[in-house]
Amino acid sequence: MLTAAATTSSLSPDVTRQALGYPSLFLLVLIGALVPVVPTGALVSSAAVVAFHQTAPFSLLLLFGTASLAAFLGDAALYWLGRRGMRSEHGSRWLEAIRSRAPEERLEQARGKLAEHGVAVLVLSRLVPAGRIPVMLACLMADWPLRRFARGNGPACLAWAVTYQVIGILGGSLFPEPWEGVLVAIALTLLVSAVPSVVRRFR
């Protein structure tokens, strides 16, 4: 009895953190997909560090499911709003937000690659920092229906969640304290995000 009580007591903090943390992560990733200024990759990596240090079972699996589902639903909602904007005479603020974050040069590249490779470009776009919005806008301009976009975006969100979760796990495995791993994971995520901008400037 004492052993069972001790085990329950040792697990309860992790269970409590899960009950609060996963819904919060879901909401933040969902908002980040709709408003493309929230660093959702850093959020997932930081959560992966904490999950890596938790004793609760299936923490990393729950994190993967939460992040990928939130990203998928957020992308689908943004795409649906973008399609409504394309059909409207005056557009919409969501479509304007998508256009404002897609430079003309990158948009033309995305349209060419989408025409050549189809869904494969959509899958890869989430793994390339700042690649999601130009490809999404290219899909809108190619008049892809939501169902076709969702079929390609599902694997893209799964790959994205795995990638940033692995970054977090690597950061968490290097240090005994979760906060140290969180700092490393955030730094790695920001570094990965900054590389394309630096390359474009040098070009």
Side-chain angles (χ1 to χ4, degrees), residues 13-30 43-44 46-71 165:
D14 284 340
V15 172
T16 303
R17 279 194 292 270
Q18 284 186 14
L20 296 173
Y22 291 117
S24 301
L25 178 68
F26 181 89
L27 245 138
L28 288 170
V29 172
L30 184 68
L43 287 172
V44 173
S46 301
V49 173
V50 177
F52 179 80
H53 286 279
Q54 284 181 347
T55 57
F58 309 118
S59 295
L60 291 170
L61 188 60
L62 281 169
L63 169 62
F64 170 72
T66 301
S68 54
L69 179 61
Q165 190 167 339

Side-chain angles (χ1 to χ4, degrees), residues 11 32 53 70 90 97 100 104 110 116 122 155 162 169 198 201:
L11 289 176
H53 286 279
H90 306 290
S100 67
E104 196 62 34
E116 187 177 350
L122 182 60
V162 165
I169 292 170
V198 173
R201 284 187 181 182

Side-chain angles (χ1 to χ4, degrees), residues 133-144:
I133 295 301
V135 173
M136 182 182 288
L137 189 54
C139 292
L140 286 168
M141 297 178 77
D143 201 25
W144 278 25

Side-chain angles (χ1 to χ4, degrees), residues 25-121:
L25 178 68
F26 181 89
L27 245 138
L28 288 170
V29 172
L30 184 68
I31 293 170
L34 285 167
V35 185
V37 291
V38 179
T40 52
L43 287 172
V44 173
S45 295
S46 301
V49 173
V50 177
F52 179 80
H53 286 279
Q54 284 181 347
T55 57
F58 309 118
S59 295
L60 291 170
L61 188 60
L62 281 169
L63 169 62
F64 170 72
T66 301
S68 54
L69 179 61
F72 176 80
L73 293 177
D75 283 356
L78 184 60
Y79 191 78
W80 178 77
L81 290 166
R83 276 182 64 82
R84 286 192 63 186
M86 293 287 283
R87 293 171 180 174
S88 169
E89 289 184 7
H90 306 290
S92 71
R93 63 191 183 92
W94 293 103
L95 183 59
E96 290 174 9
I98 296 174
R99 284 184 178 276
S100 67
R101 299 189 65 81
E104 196 62 34
E105 180 186 348
R106 299 208 57 193
L107 176 57
E108 287 305 316
Q109 289 176 356
R111 292 182 71 181
K113 289 177 181 177
L114 188 69
E116 187 177 350
H117 301 289
V119 173
V121 176

